[in-house]
Amino acid sequence: MSVDDAVARATASGFEGTGREDRARWLEALAEAIAGDRAELVRLAAAETHLSEARLDGEITRTDSQLRFFAGVARDGGYLEATLDAPDPTTTPPRPDLRRMLRPLGAVAVYAASNFPFAFSVLGNDTASALAAGCPVIVKGHPGHPETSRRTAALAERTLAAAGAPDGCFGLVEGMDAGVALVQHPGVAAVGFTGSERGGRALFELAAARERPIPFYGELGSINPVVVTESAARERPDEIATGLVGSFTRDAGQFCTKPGLVFIPAGARIEDAVATALMAAPSQQQLTEGMTSAFAAGAASFAGRSDVQILNAAAEAPDSAPTVVITDGEAFTTDPEPFLTECFGPLTVLVRYLGDEELQRAIGSLDPSLTATILRGQGEDVTALAAALAPLAGRLVFDGWPTGVAIAWAQHHGGAWPATTASVHSSVGASAIRRFLTPIAYQDAPQAVLPPELRDHNPANIPRREASSTDASRVPRD
Amino acid sequence: MSVDDAVARATASGFEGTGREDRARWLEALAEAIAGDRAELVRLAAAETHLSEARLDGEITRTDSQLRFFAGVARDGGYLEATLDAPDPTTTPPRPDLRRMLRPLGAVAVYAASNFPFAFSVLGNDTASALAAGCPVIVKGHPGHPETSRRTAALAERTLAAAGAPDGCFGLVEGMDAGVALVQHPGVAAVGFTGSERGGRALFELAAARERPIPFYGELGSINPVVVTESAARERPDEIATGLVGSFTRDAGQFCTKPGLVFIPAGARIEDAVATALMAAPSQQQLTEGMTSAFAAGAASFAGRSDVQILNAAAEAPDSAPTVVITDGEAFTTDPEPFLTECFGPLTVLVRYLGDEELQRAIGSLDPSLTATILRGQGEDVTALAAALAPLAGRLVFDGWPTGVAIAWAQHHGGAWPATTASVHSSVGASAIRRFLTPIAYQDAPQAVLPPELRDHNPANIPRREASSTDASRVPRD
């Protein structure tokens, strides 16, 4: 379908006017449909992406859950931020009857990711949250899995039509030109993007340069620093080494939350444990040839340096070899840049630190990331370390690994540039829906004009904030 | 102060780490200080802006209220959106203990407006909401009221220091070069701007072009359409005419919410009533010479057209004459552009419409605005009209005037481009604080690391959303 056709269909769909319960049912129908076509989708995606069938099967389950989760978010209605103020003529200026809630922004362009052919692709998180918000969606399919994308899109269109959703509320476009045209189309009201810093930045700039700029939510790359404290390294080196190697090599390390930079105490036995665990790490082919060669180039950039040591697991072409780069805190702090460049694939950098001061200096040179992780000793107080890492990450993980981003009300997947283009919103979790909503306030509106969510006596039965429920003494009115 | 110094002081202030109760007290101290210096501030501002002392006195009261309002918002703590999820190992992927809240983004640059020398200037709404959020503020003063700005800034610095706020959490810079340098400074994390479309767009593009882009919240111009229904025009022409003239000429019409385009039924007596009310409208000098001449040029652009009629109230230089431009629905819909260009000052355009169809066509040509207003007859059903106007406005006003934006939890002051650059947030009301906040999620964090707002048993006693309080049957977990 052409971009013009897809956007015209979306903007004419009337999807913004649909009810929350209807949208919840449509999301559940999509969840059921994708889970029901599991075998064929997994087969197609495995052939296109080289990801394992077990992983893809799990990803179908994740996508199913995600669609159902956003059905629950839509039904719950708390996301509307419904807020009511009673009139008060004594304030300056006088306060009328004001009722505020969020409403859909309009047609959303979703740029699918390569590394999650289901969960961050055609019916992935951006699509689910936009549909839940009441926004029609045009997906720009990722060229890494075209047949998977087309089959998912056809399934979505059939399912939505059968469930009674408005025509045109979902569409798929393909190709680089379509991607450029989509972000510039006057009918598109917002953009969700998951991908590289370069691609995201280019589209972000197109969105800002439009005659009428629109919000652009790009989730880009991330280095995801991990700090292993001295106590943790001493207490459980093998467990940490196995966990780290499992996390950074899983699915060929192709995660935006891959731990790409790990600070370990100098001289710790954990280094040997990582070397041992690495030998057992399976290799795997990456998603595309482009990624395979970019990974090889990234890994090769460390070769020949006298201040790094490189460990490789065995691998035969076309697989990428799991790689650990080891360096000292001094080499790192002298010129951190080479170690901070994300190498998409199964590579991580270990930085040996000599004491707290060197660690603090190293942390001071880090760019913002989606996550930061602390592995601590039993009962160890890591308050100071957490305070140093918190400003650098959207999610602070303790004694776990950053991969495997849970779907939850309290999830946050974001961070300051270069982790995302829009550092104030999340692309995973319930609040991802907020990206595609905009407020409206009704002033002295008759009941009939108000959406049920804002009417007297809360007939829609949603969480609301009402002036009468706030403590007036804490909220000066004059 | 230089931009470099001001930003360095702000980023070193540690203000992000201050407590909500402390910030609430500092905001209250600022409110008390500005109200306490009322006489001298009003005198200075009257000389610099030509606004009346009565209006400026009222604006001091508004500014005082606004600062206290945000003190209440900070104390309340609901703005943190604290959300807790209990762990669940049975989900795909497994759900850890997740706790999410909002935190300050960092140093905020505030570009003061010309038309509110207090309420949208140095200690205005952007500053109050940013300080409440925990963000240090650097104000770029408006050149239209430099002495007022300096006195307010000095008052703020003294007051904050006396109240124990961290050094450098507030600063003032001045001049066009400083304005350009500020939005580009690496230490600035977000921008609040109130002003013209041209100025806002230029700064917005600088923010997007930074090596690390930052959120830019620009509240720009607006035409603020008003529809007078046939019933309303028949029932209360004089009241509406008097209200309209009062609203669009108040303070020389220098409001972003000035009703600049009013649809009236053709042949209605209300047109005569407006002419009569206009004759009684007082003229006033505009804020600056530049605005006075821009207004004259805007008004002159309608002169000599055979399809418009122009009514002027009497005025002598340097005042701008209150002006009503009248045209037909046909002339408007044939070429709406000249009527949709905001003319900042005491001018409004009346468009006579012949029936619903012409009105609908005219509405279809409108740009988004901050507000849209419906004046209806007694008990008249305006559901269809409200549905047509709602997509065009951030606030939908019934049987009132859009000027006089109340300070409230449910207020929304925003809208799609060209009303604002960032159509998903408000610049007035409690949610204005959201612009300067970014989420963080804590995963499996020890209690000692968590802010009190996220600890077990809610020791900070703030509104939170806890997984256990959601209806599990409505939020699928698997």
Side-chain angles (χ1 to χ4, degrees), chain A residues 23 40 122 126 155 194 204 230 293 298 301 339 407 416 454 472:
Chain A
R23 295 201 300 276
E40 183 58 16
V122 176
D126 284 343
L155 189 69
T194 307
F204 165 77
E230 291 185 23
S293 52
S301 71
F339 305 103
I407 305 159
L454 290 181

Side-chain angles (χ1 to χ4, degrees), chain B residues 86-96 477:
Chain B
D88 183 345
T90 68
T91 62
T92 301
R95 194 174 64 225
R477 300 277 177 220

Side-chain angles (χ1 to χ4, degrees), chain A residues 212 367 395 410 423 438 443, chain B residues 85 212 367 395 423 438 443:
Chain A
R212 293 165 184 247
D367 284 332
R395 179 163 52 104
S423 51
T438 184
Q443 177 170 327
Chain B
D85 273 303
R212 294 165 183 247
D367 284 331
R395 178 164 52 105
S423 52
T438 184
Q443 178 170 325

